[in-house]
Amino acid sequence: MLASMLGSSLAVLAGFASPAIVGSTLYHGGHLVLNDGRGGTARALLEKDGLVVATGTLEELAARPDAQGATRIDLRGTVAVPGLEDAHGHLEGYGASLQQLDLTGVPTFQALVERVRDVAKTLPEGTWIRGRGWDQNLWEGGKFPHHLLLSLATPKHPVFLERVDGHAALVNEAALAAARLNGVIDPPPRIQGGRVFLDDDRRATGMLLDAATSLVEKAIPKPTNEVLRERFLAAQEKLLAYGLTCVHDMGTSPAMLALLQDLRARGELRLRVVAYLDGMGELDKKSLAGFPKAPDPKDMLSVPGVKLYADGALGSRGAALLDPYSDAPGENGLMLLAEEQLAERLALLARAGLQPAVHAIGDRANRVVLDAYERLAVAVPGFRDLRPRIEHAQVVAPKDWPRFPALGVVPSMQPTHATSDMAWVEARLGPERTRGAYAWRALAPELGRLAFGSDFPVESPNPLGGLFAARTRTKVGGKPEDALLPEQRLDGAAALAGFTSGPAWAARQDDRRGRLLPGYACDLTVLGVDPTTCDPAELLKDSVRMTVINGVVVWRAAPANAAARGG
Ligand SMILES: [Zn+2]
């Protein structure tokens, strides 16, 4: 594991180009997609002090007085689009995942046990082993596991393994003991918004759902500030290499916020971050004082709002549904915050002028949040202008679809969730409710009002995979006829808007980001193909050539296929 970690961080270093450009730059020799809503393109772009000054042809721009002395960058036939922006990710979790055991795609429970045992052999006794990414839906039978085999293989190391969606965890006996959940548990613990699974002997199976995962998680030693910093810096380099120029961090912890502020002050924050504070803990007037923070002039860090959770996730049956799960009669999922608690917190945010971003996956959770937003739109003047967000909006009853545009609620959705979940989503929901799953066209009929992201580390942050999923609604290598609800597919321009102007709209920064127009930030993602016109399959073969933020080249691919700077 260490060797592969070192390998990837070396690759990142090799790809890093020092950002020393100041003044102005003239990009030419390529194809620029403006995302101006009219299909506009250009051959060249003039940047000054981090902003787009003008677009046009090289001749037109070179003749301008303000282009004299500009550094020239030859795009060499590549395609520059407005910087790609991920509207929903988890920086700390992603950074940690780069250092954790990656269990994505593990085909059997036995294989998972072997992987963990191999890691345990390399670590001193008592060291916590963290992993994530396993998915019981890939295993025969598709059932949640029991910890017994895992505990036999790792008797001396507490183990905490998050499910792929981050909404459930499998822990071993040593971890249960650390959280005093070992032995017979009677009566079963009652946890708001969570569940400890028990076996026939009334002992914990090792499966913890949603809020119950924190029972064990809080027994794990907290990362030091130094570890947090390492995690963020590792995440930052990876995200820049994926061509992302901005990410919305969902549920920023106080320690992470302090780190981001420190990095910004030192000029080490190279990726634009829009932070939504974690609102699940203490939330009072005092803790919210000083927010929302106005962005710095270069917008590298802004704090427009707070992230809350209404319910859990679909894969672990924690999403709150109006009617029971089709494959688990009697189970409706769970609300992480009771309706009144949620309403109270939202009212506090609305009065503080903070933008709410509420995780809602099931049709019940979505309705509860929409109801709360509707009441606040009446009770609090200016609430609509905060652009209240719903994160995921995964299963929405058709009669609630028009409430998104009508109330000005921003759907913040993840195209790769649709394609990762499509194998089992109909089993969970049945055919009727599946019509309202990942219905991004239905929730945001107007171009540029839909914010796309990846929910990294739940999915890969690679936005090319997201663009592919948005256009095809099929798995990689899938056939068009296998698409999940093909009527919800987007064309190339709308998919690109979902990763550019849409997230900028969701962050309330659409007046200065997401389009290549004069006065907008010069954020560019340089690709080999034009994502608005290419065949979707070409997106998966393509790679990022260069990433530019505020006119500074923050990442470029190895020289062989990079767009070189010329004279
Ligand atoms: Zn998330």
Side-chain angles (χ1 to χ4, degrees), residues 168-185:
L170 169 66
V171 302
N172 70 350
E173 180 76 20
L176 288 169
R180 299 178 188 280
L181 287 170
N182 52 335
V184 173
I185 302 176

Side-chain angles (χ1 to χ4, degrees), residues 88-90 167 250 307 309 359 392 455-456 458:
H88 185 121
H90 304 276
H167 282 268
M250 283 294 150
K307 162 87 182 295
Y309 284 89
H359 165 120
H392 311 305
D455 203 7
F456 60 78
V458 176

